[in-house]
Amino acid sequence: MARTVLVVCHGNTCRSVMAQALLERMLAERGAADAIRVRSGGGGGNARDGMNPSLDARIVLREAGIDLAEDAITSTDLRRHRELVAGADLVLTMTAEQKTLLGAVADGAPPPVFTLAEFAGGAGDIRDPMGHDEDRYRATRDEIRRYLERSIDRLLGMLG
């Protein structure tokens, strides 16, 4: 049975989508795609079910060799789908605020929840690129990728 990593940001159209796509590729490269599945969701007030990933997120993913179709990942409002939080084996958020918000969303005891930075041994939040230019999206993508690269062995050890 596959273990589940849930990646969370505010609206589930930028950061968590980029993290999901990047992590899925890293797991596939290590032969762990069947053992660990990656899901994403939004915990903020503007999260809605069924929104497409932002164009800028898809553009910068394409630059990194990931061609994400417009409807490949659609947003999920975690306030409406609490079972996704409860069913996750590990939750990685983009900010400390999102980590705190998940406590209110989780039904029962939440799974282990970390910010992506702290899971990778760092600190701080990954800023939302929404409303900024492609350079900000690239910087966000690269920051997410660095944290995922630093934490992939820990993730595989925990869930693999």
Side-chain angles (χ1 to χ4, degrees):
M1 180 184 225
R3 306 291 297 267
T4 301
V5 176
L6 178 63
V7 185
V8 177
C9 72
H10 201 71
N12 192 211
T13 59
C14 299
R15 292 170 292 176
S16 57
V17 169
M18 288 191 282
Q20 179 178 349
L22 290 164
L23 183 54
E24 285 175 337
R25 181 171 68 181
M26 289 176 186
L27 291 169
E29 290 170 351
R30 288 162 178 79
D34 291 336
I36 301 171
R37 78 177 151 221
V38 184
R39 298 289 181 261
S40 62
N46 67 338
R48 303 284 182 270
D49 286 341
M51 294 189 317
N52 292 334
S54 78
L55 177 60
D56 290 319
R58 289 184 303 140
I59 287 170
V60 300
L61 284 171
R62 188 175 317 123
E63 292 172 356
I66 299 172
D67 192 15
L68 186 68
E70 183 177 354
D71 60 352
I73 299 172
T74 58
S75 65
T76 301
D77 180 354
L78 294 175
R79 293 166 301 151
R80 294 182 53 160
H81 299 282
R82 296 168 184 247
E83 71 280 0
L84 296 176
V85 176
D89 297 292
L90 173 65
V91 178
L92 300 173
T93 68
M94 298 296 127
T95 69
E97 178 186 13
Q98 292 156 1
K99 181 179 171 181
T100 301
L101 284 174
L102 282 184
V105 171
D107 288 330
V113 180
F114 300 89
T115 67
L116 179 56
E118 75 180 334
F119 192 72
D125 293 339
I126 298 172
R127 295 184 331 193
D128 192 348
M130 183 64 78
H132 295 276
D133 64 11
E134 286 179 20
D135 287 337
R136 179 72 226 147
Y137 276 81
R138 283 183 194 98
T140 300
R141 175 204 61 205
D142 293 344
E143 183 178 17
I144 290 168
R145 182 175 27 206
R146 279 191 307 274
Y147 284 134
L148 289 171
E149 287 170 347
R150 289 182 202 161
S151 63
I152 190 74
D153 291 334
R154 179 178 182 193
L155 189 145
L156 289 169
M158 179 184 271
L159 301 179

